[in-house]
Amino acid sequence: MTESLRSSATEDELDILVSVAIRRAEVLAEEGDPGTPAAWREVRLYEELLSRITAPTTVEGGVARVGAVYAALAAGDRLDAEELAEKYRAEGLTDERRARLDTILTEDFTRRGRRYRYLWQTGRLAALDDWKNKSRTETTRVFPLAA
Amino acid sequence: MALQRAGHCSPTAACIDHVGQPSSAADIVWEMLSTIDPEVVPHRRLTEHAAEAIALTYVHSWGRWSVKRVMNEGEFADWLLAREDDRLALEVGGVTGTDGRAKLTQKLGQIDQCTVAQQRLAVVVAFGKPEILAECR
């Protein structure tokens, strides 16, 4: 499906797309498939599209916005998740959805703290996010390629 | 597949135990498969998916709820359902045996934490009997 088609999809169509994408991402994650982050990025895409066409105070609007942040975290894109969360908070989410956003961000921080214990203990967990973000947008490598 | 694996043939009568509703039964009809290869669909996933299919059909029949979308992990519900402007969060479970009570208690514990919709429901399908257990919150 092209980007333009995705952008013109109706709410019902996006509901179907996001449902299928979530199930696929969950199955891939369960099996430890390397395609899992890409699957969660697809979930995020649909959730973001849903967020554009739904009001933040509605049930579906709130679910989509929290879903976009959740999918970004599940894909390992922590900085993107924080940016999205900030944007959605500014849109006027309900208190319940704000609390949910805070919870999933905190849970992710705790989970990563356990995984990268040394970075967490030395207060450098954010540096990992910076590096991951750069590695996605630039061609930075740990070791330079041979000439 | 899950009903056949539990030894049932189509059609089979399922008891419905929905807290607060009169006891009832429903015939479940499906296209019988000649063989079931357990390698094709993992055991747990088969039970989950079959329970979801039956639960969604039951909830539509019971309250005219339609599927809106799948919920993300961490929302403490599997599905968001719609009926005009109303929304219902649904948590589903399945057991291969005959006793779904413990599973229902577990699922109610989960749906109790779901804050996204005011109306919440947990449904468990016990494939051994078969039986549909449901409770609203």
Side-chain angles (χ1 to χ4, degrees):
Chain A
M1 186 182 279
T2 64
E3 197 66 33
S4 60
L5 264 175
R6 282 171 175 161
S7 302
S8 63
T10 65
E11 187 180 338
D12 284 348
E13 288 167 343
L14 287 168
D15 279 337
I16 294 168
L17 289 170
V18 78
S19 297
V20 173
I22 288 170
R23 285 297 161 91
R24 182 167 54 230
E26 286 174 353
V27 169
L28 291 176
E30 208 175 289
E31 293 172 359
D33 191 284
T36 304
W40 281 116
R41 286 187 190 113
E42 187 175 354
V43 173
R44 173 184 159 188
L45 169 70
Y46 299 137
E47 298 282 30
E48 284 193 70
L49 290 174
L50 277 165
S51 303
R52 286 184 208 163
I53 58 172
T54 53
T57 49
T58 60
V59 171
E60 40 273 41
V63 168
R65 283 161 177 81
V66 172
V69 174
Y70 181 89
L73 291 172
D77 304 332
R78 172 84 193 184
L79 291 179
D80 289 357
E82 285 177 351
E83 277 178 22
L84 281 173
E86 199 172 323
K87 177 181 151 193
Y88 294 149
R89 281 192 195 103
E91 285 180 358
L93 284 173
T94 62
D95 289 345
E96 182 277 328
R97 289 288 88 187
R98 282 169 182 272
R100 193 80 218 122
L101 273 184
D102 292 344
T103 302
I104 62 171
L105 286 165
T106 305
E107 282 174 357
D108 179 73
F109 189 78
T110 308
R111 187 166 48 244
R112 288 172 343 115
R114 280 198 298 267
R115 187 170 176 189
Y116 305 106
R117 199 160 191 83
Y118 180 73
L119 289 176
W120 180 71
Q121 283 173 339
T122 54
R124 292 190 294 156
L125 209 47
L128 177 69
D129 297 325
D130 286 338
W131 180 80
K132 280 177 80 176
N133 201 40
K134 275 184 190 163
S135 68
R136 274 181 56 210
T137 52
E138 299 170 15
T139 52
T140 51
R141 293 179 172 88
V142 176
F143 299 107
L145 290 177
Chain B
M1 283 170 79
L3 285 163
Q4 271 185 243
R5 194 186 53 194
H8 305 292
C9 292
S10 177
T12 190
C15 301
I16 299 170
D17 183 354
H18 190 148
V19 173
Q21 308 280 322
S23 294
S24 58
D27 281 339
I28 302 177
V29 184
W30 70 96
E31 197 174 319
M32 294 281 285
L33 299 170
S34 53
T35 55
I36 298 176
D37 183 353
E39 297 300 318
V40 175
V41 185
H43 195 80
R44 188 176 61 81
R45 204 165 289 153
L46 174 61
T47 307
E48 278 178 12
H49 289 186
E52 287 191 330
I54 292 171
L56 290 170
T57 307
Y58 168 67
V59 174
H60 179 72
S61 167
W62 161 68
R64 298 287 150 211
W65 292 99
S66 300
V67 170
K68 178 80 179 141
R69 57 166 290 176
V70 166
M71 300 281 259
N72 261 304
E73 280 178 348
E75 291 282 12
F76 301 103
D78 295 319
W79 297 86
L80 182 65
L81 305 183
R83 185 179 59 192
E84 295 175 2
D85 290 338
D86 293 335
R87 297 292 179 265
L88 172 80
L90 174 69
E91 177 67 22
V92 181
V95 293
T96 54
T98 56
D99 186 10
R101 285 277 152 215
K103 191 77 168 180
L104 183 64
T105 304
Q106 180 201 333
K107 292 296 174 185
L108 286 169
Q110 271 179 253
I111 201 77
D112 280 346
Q113 295 179 71
C114 176
T115 48
V116 72
Q118 285 191 334
Q119 299 191 68
R120 292 163 293 164
L121 174 71
V123 176
V124 167
V125 180
F127 287 92
K129 273 186 179 176
E131 186 176 33
I132 299 167
L133 304 162
E135 188 166 340
C136 295
R137 290 304 215 202

